[in-house]
Amino acid sequence: MLTITPIYAALIAILFVALSVNVIRVRRSGKISVGDHGDKAMIKAMRIQANCAEYAPFALLLIAMVELQGAGGLLVNLLGLSLLAGRLLHAYGFGRTPQIIILRQIGMLLTFAAILVAAIAGLFLAL
């Protein structure tokens, strides 16, 4: 039974909705109905949201599998916290003007760490 992963899935879903609302806000302010019209703010908002959509579901799936395979709560929480912190830092660092590159990089590092550790743990637990 999943008891920990749903907490991180919910928190990341809230982050994703916030990023989506930002895309809508930028669309409205720039009067951009479809696409990005070459607008740098629109491109940035879209990429921040898309980056979250590209990495978070896959990572959450791996974390859920690790939890379902019986991993301890400490590992599952560390994976979830790493993913959540990574997504928050990436979005914040990327979203600033000028970008805070180190936060963006740390965010990706934490996201990749969560994915890789969850993948390795999943393999270990399955074997």
Side-chain angles (χ1 to χ4, degrees), residues 36-100:
D36 59 42
H37 289 222
D39 181 278
K40 288 184 180 191
M42 185 77 257
I43 294 167
K44 183 185 271 193
M46 290 171 65
R47 281 309 310 150
I48 294 168
Q49 179 207 36
N51 190 278
C52 186
E54 291 161 1
Y55 288 100
F58 189 63
L60 286 167
L61 179 62
L62 286 168
I63 294 168
M65 285 191 279
V66 167
E67 184 175 4
L68 286 170
Q69 289 175 299
L74 178 61
L75 175 61
V76 177
N77 275 298
L78 286 174
L79 292 170
L81 283 171
S82 177
L83 178 63
L84 180 61
R87 296 294 75 216
L88 286 167
L89 288 171
H90 181 271
Y92 184 78
F94 192 4
R96 298 302 94 189
T97 301
Q99 292 182 35
I100 305 171

